[in-house]
Coordinates of all heavy atoms in Angstrom, one line a residue:
L1 N -6.6 5.5 -3.7 CA -7.1 5.3 -5.1 C -8.0 6.5 -5.5 O -8.7 7.1 -4.7 CB -7.9 4.0 -5.2 CG -7.2 2.6 -5.1 CD1 -8.1 1.5 -5.1 CD2 -6.3 2.5 -6.3
D2 N -8.0 6.6 -6.8 CA -8.7 7.7 -7.5 C -10.2 7.7 -7.0 O -10.9 6.6 -7.3 CB -8.6 7.7 -9.0 CG -9.2 8.9 -9.7 OD1 -9.8 9.7 -9.0 OD2 -9.1 8.9 -10.9
D3 N -10.7 8.7 -6.5 CA -12.1 8.7 -6.1 C -13.1 8.6 -7.2 O -14.3 8.1 -7.1 CB -12.5 10.0 -5.3 CG -11.9 10.1 -3.9 OD1 -11.5 9.0 -3.4 OD2 -11.6 11.2 -3.4
A4 N -12.6 8.9 -8.4 CA -13.5 8.7 -9.6 C -13.6 7.3 -10.1 O -14.4 6.9 -11.0 CB -12.9 9.6 -10.8
M5 N -12.8 6.4 -9.6 CA -12.8 5.0 -9.9 C -14.2 4.4 -9.4 O -14.5 4.6 -8.3 CB -11.6 4.2 -9.3 CG -11.6 2.7 -9.7 SD -10.2 1.8 -9.0 CE -8.8 2.5 -10.0
R6 N -14.8 3.6 -10.3 CA -16.0 3.0 -9.9 C -15.9 2.1 -8.8 O -14.8 1.5 -8.6 CB -16.6 2.2 -11.1 CG -17.1 3.0 -12.3 CD -17.7 2.1 -13.3 NE -17.5 0.7 -13.2 CZ -17.8 -0.1 -14.2 NH1 -18.2 0.3 -15.4 NH2 -17.6 -1.4 -14.0
I7 N -16.9 1.9 -8.0 CA -16.8 1.1 -6.7 C -16.5 -0.3 -6.9 O -15.7 -0.9 -6.3 CB -18.1 1.3 -5.9 CG1 -17.9 0.8 -4.5 CG2 -19.3 0.5 -6.6 CD1 -17.0 1.8 -3.7
D8 N -16.9 -0.9 -8.2 CA -16.6 -2.3 -8.4 C -15.2 -2.4 -8.8 O -14.5 -3.4 -8.5 CB -17.6 -2.8 -9.5 CG -17.7 -2.0 -10.8 OD1 -17.3 -0.9 -10.7 OD2 -18.0 -2.6 -11.8
D9 N -14.6 -1.4 -9.6 CA -13.3 -1.4 -9.9 C -12.4 -1.3 -8.7 O -11.3 -2.0 -8.6 CB -12.9 -0.3 -10.9 CG -13.3 -0.7 -12.3 OD1 -13.4 -1.8 -12.6 OD2 -13.7 0.3 -13.1
R10 N -12.7 -0.4 -7.7 CA -12.0 -0.4 -6.5 C -12.0 -1.7 -5.7 O -10.9 -2.1 -5.3 CB -12.6 0.8 -5.6 CG -12.5 2.2 -6.2 CD -13.2 3.1 -5.3 NE -12.6 3.3 -4.0 CZ -11.7 4.3 -3.8 NH1 -11.3 5.1 -4.7 NH2 -11.1 4.4 -2.6
A11 N -13.1 -2.3 -5.7 CA -13.2 -3.6 -5.0 C -12.3 -4.7 -5.7 O -11.7 -5.5 -5.0 CB -14.6 -4.1 -5.0
L12 N -12.3 -4.7 -7.0 CA -11.5 -5.7 -7.7 C -10.1 -5.4 -7.5 O -9.2 -6.3 -7.3 CB -11.9 -5.7 -9.2 CG -11.0 -6.6 -10.0 CD1 -11.1 -8.0 -9.6 CD2 -11.4 -6.5 -11.5
C13 N -9.7 -4.1 -7.6 CA -8.3 -3.8 -7.3 C -7.8 -4.2 -6.0 O -6.7 -4.8 -5.8 CB -8.1 -2.2 -7.5 SG -6.5 -1.6 -7.1
Q14 N -8.6 -4.0 -5.0 CA -8.3 -4.4 -3.6 C -8.1 -5.8 -3.5 O -7.1 -6.4 -2.9 CB -9.3 -3.8 -2.6 CG -8.9 -4.2 -1.2 CD -9.7 -3.5 -0.2 OE1 -10.0 -2.4 -0.3 NE2 -10.2 -4.3 0.9
E15 N -9.1 -6.6 -4.2 CA -9.0 -8.1 -4.1 C -7.7 -8.6 -4.8 O -7.0 -9.5 -4.3 CB -10.2 -8.6 -4.8 CG -10.3 -10.1 -4.9 CD -10.2 -10.9 -3.6 OE1 -10.8 -10.4 -2.7 OE2 -9.6 -11.9 -3.6
L16 N -7.3 -8.0 -5.9 CA -6.2 -8.4 -6.7 C -4.9 -8.1 -5.8 O -4.0 -9.0 -5.8 CB -6.1 -7.8 -8.0 CG -7.3 -8.1 -9.0 CD1 -7.1 -7.3 -10.3 CD2 -7.0 -9.6 -9.4
V17 N -4.8 -6.9 -5.3 CA -3.6 -6.5 -4.6 C -3.4 -7.4 -3.4 O -2.3 -8.0 -3.1 CB -3.6 -5.1 -4.3 CG1 -2.6 -4.8 -3.3 CG2 -3.5 -4.2 -5.5
L18 N -4.4 -7.4 -2.5 CA -4.3 -8.2 -1.2 C -4.2 -9.7 -1.5 O -3.5 -10.4 -0.9 CB -5.4 -7.9 -0.4 CG -5.5 -6.4 0.1 CD1 -6.7 -6.2 1.0 CD2 -4.3 -6.0 0.8
G19 N -4.9 -10.2 -2.5 CA -4.8 -11.6 -2.8 C -3.5 -12.0 -3.3 O -3.0 -13.1 -2.9
V20 N -2.9 -11.3 -4.2 CA -1.6 -11.6 -4.7 C -0.6 -11.5 -3.6 O 0.3 -12.4 -3.5 CB -1.2 -10.6 -5.9 CG1 0.3 -10.7 -6.2 CG2 -2.0 -10.9 -7.1
L21 N -0.6 -10.5 -2.7 CA 0.3 -10.4 -1.7 C 0.2 -11.5 -0.6 O 1.2 -12.1 -0.1 CB 0.2 -9.1 -1.0 CG 0.6 -7.9 -1.8 CD1 0.3 -6.6 -1.1 CD2 2.1 -7.9 -2.1
R22 N -1.1 -12.0 -0.3 CA -1.4 -13.0 0.6 C -0.9 -14.4 0.0 O -0.3 -15.2 0.8 CB -2.8 -13.1 0.9 CG -3.3 -12.0 1.8 CD -4.9 -12.0 1.8 NE -5.4 -10.9 2.5 CZ -6.6 -10.4 2.4 NH1 -7.4 -10.8 1.4 NH2 -7.0 -9.4 3.0
R23 N -1.0 -14.6 -1.3 CA -0.7 -15.9 -1.9 C 0.6 -16.0 -2.6 O 0.9 -16.8 -3.4 CB -1.9 -16.3 -2.8 CG -3.2 -16.3 -2.2 CD -3.4 -17.6 -1.5 NE -3.7 -18.7 -2.4 CZ -3.7 -19.9 -1.9 NH1 -3.6 -20.2 -0.7 NH2 -3.9 -20.9 -2.8
R24 N 1.5 -15.0 -2.4 CA 2.7 -14.8 -3.2 C 3.5 -16.0 -3.4 O 3.9 -16.4 -4.5 CB 3.5 -13.6 -2.6 CG 4.6 -13.1 -3.6 CD 5.4 -12.1 -2.9 NE 6.6 -12.6 -2.3 CZ 7.6 -11.9 -1.8 NH1 7.5 -10.7 -1.8 NH2 8.6 -12.5 -1.2
L25 N 3.9 -16.6 -2.3 CA 4.9 -17.8 -2.4 C 4.2 -18.9 -3.3 O 4.8 -19.6 -4.0 CB 5.2 -18.2 -1.0 CG 6.1 -19.5 -1.0 CD1 7.5 -19.1 -1.7 CD2 6.5 -19.9 0.4
W26 N 3.0 -19.2 -2.9 CA 2.2 -20.3 -3.6 C 2.2 -19.9 -5.1 O 2.4 -20.8 -5.9 CB 0.8 -20.5 -3.1 CG 0.1 -21.6 -3.7 CD1 0.0 -22.9 -3.1 CD2 -0.8 -21.6 -4.8 NE1 -0.8 -23.7 -3.9 CE2 -1.4 -22.9 -4.9 CE3 -1.2 -20.6 -5.7 CZ2 -2.2 -23.3 -6.0 CZ3 -2.1 -20.9 -6.7 CH2 -2.6 -22.3 -6.9
L27 N 1.8 -18.7 -5.4 CA 1.7 -18.3 -6.9 C 3.1 -18.5 -7.5 O 3.2 -19.0 -8.7 CB 1.3 -16.9 -7.0 CG -0.2 -16.6 -6.6 CD1 -0.5 -15.1 -6.4 CD2 -1.2 -17.2 -7.5
D28 N 4.2 -18.1 -6.8 CA 5.4 -18.1 -7.5 C 5.9 -19.5 -7.7 O 6.5 -19.9 -8.7 CB 6.5 -17.5 -6.5 CG 6.4 -15.9 -6.5 OD1 5.6 -15.4 -7.3 OD2 7.2 -15.2 -5.7

């Protein structure tokens, strides 16, 4: 991820990506 991205944005991005992948079938 872009080093210029704010630390809170990086954290939210990681949470969204991993969360969606972990819960994919349930979400679908």
Side-chain angles (χ1 to χ4, degrees):
L1 284 173
D2 185 357
D3 290 338
M5 182 180 285
R6 287 182 357 190
I7 196 70
D8 56 337
D9 280 330
R10 293 173 71 92
L12 177 57
C13 177
Q14 178 167 321
E15 173 63 34
L16 291 174
V17 169
L18 296 181
V20 165
L21 291 173
R22 289 168 182 153
R23 303 279 288 169
R24 195 184 89 173
L25 180 59
W26 187 90
L27 293 170
D28 286 355

